[in-house]
Amino acid sequence: MRERDLKGAVPMPLSPEVLTARGDVVARLGGFDISFAPDEEPWFTIDGIESPRQVGGDGAGGAFVLLPSQDVLYVSSEGRAGIIAESFEAFVQLVVARPYWLDILKFSAGGDLSEMRRAADALEATLENEDEVNEAREDIRKSLALPEPDDPIGALYEAVAASDAIVRATDGSPFTTLFNRFSIDNSPLLRNAAA
């Protein structure tokens, strides 16, 4: 539930249009490797969706798509795809709370929630600019009257596990799940951070 502002009004639900009107916030989110400029040329299709609404991308070449259901789908440039949030607002909450959300999925041991939580803790411990990230988190939440999510890792897990969107490359081959087989035990840096 969104908090009321000082005048007692409930702010509008967060949408791509509301967000992009806030250039200051968009600039801060850019520090979390998110761009709200969609690709010009489509490089994937989604079964049952005529014209996917891409709302942004990331530095790795991935795309964020707002589905008709209002779920946010992530399509990686490496042939993986899945729903990552139940709404655009939940997506922004995820990115702010856990900017390394894609790495959490990489080190999920095939979709194990406890491994995802371990990965999140280790990744948080390895943030290079922790003070800067925390300041950006606070500024973005305050600017958008955005509450901190109760359990961003659990919500991410649920969204990806329930994802039923079928994404295809331009040659028709289907993309695979966002859950990857690695755990933090495969990474000396993360394994040491978790110890």
Side-chain angles (χ1 to χ4, degrees):
M1 180 185 254
R2 302 287 303 267
E3 294 179 17
R4 295 182 180 274
D5 66 16
L6 296 176
K7 297 176 185 169
V10 176
M12 291 177 49
L14 189 59
S15 67
E17 295 77 19
V18 168
L19 181 62
T20 54
R22 299 289 311 272
D24 58 324
V25 177
V26 170
R28 293 302 298 247
L29 283 166
F32 291 117
D33 197 27
I34 301 294
S35 162
F36 291 96
D39 293 332
E40 293 188 22
E41 292 295 318
W43 48 275
F44 59 87
T45 60
I46 305 168
D47 288 4
I49 299 177
E50 190 74 27
S51 299
R53 182 178 177 206
Q54 185 179 343
V55 293
D58 65 11
F64 299 102
V65 178
L66 187 60
L67 298 175
S69 63
Q70 298 308 301
D71 290 332
V72 175
L73 174 78
Y74 177 72
V75 182
S76 82
S77 60
E78 298 170 355
R80 295 181 176 275
I83 293 171
I84 59 169
E86 65 182 8
S87 67
F88 186 75
E89 183 171 312
F91 160 65
V92 174
Q93 286 176 318
L94 171 66
V95 168
V96 172
R98 300 293 183 259
Y100 41 77
W101 61 271
L102 192 54
D103 287 327
I104 292 171
L105 294 169
K106 176 181 179 180
F107 295 105
S108 69
D112 182 310
L113 180 56
S114 62
E115 286 296 321
M116 291 173 66
R117 292 188 193 286
R118 279 182 69 215
D121 290 344
L123 289 158
E124 188 74 17
T126 63
L127 283 177
E128 288 182 24
N129 302 318
E130 184 178 353
D131 291 340
E132 192 176 307
V133 169
N134 287 332
E135 181 182 314
R137 286 172 170 158
E138 187 177 322
D139 288 350
I140 292 165
R141 286 185 185 123
K142 189 174 189 178
S143 295
L144 298 175
L146 196 65
E148 188 168 348
D150 291 332
D151 182 9
I153 309 308
L156 177 62
Y157 168 80
E158 292 293 330
V160 175
S163 183
D164 59 357
I166 299 171
V167 178
R168 298 182 187 278
T170 53
D171 68 0
S173 58
F175 283 42
T176 60
T177 180
L178 289 172
F179 290 131
N180 209 319
R181 60 184 171 82
F182 303 108
S183 78
I184 63 170
D185 297 324
N186 297 108
S187 166
L189 173 68
L190 296 179
R191 186 175 56 242
N192 292 338

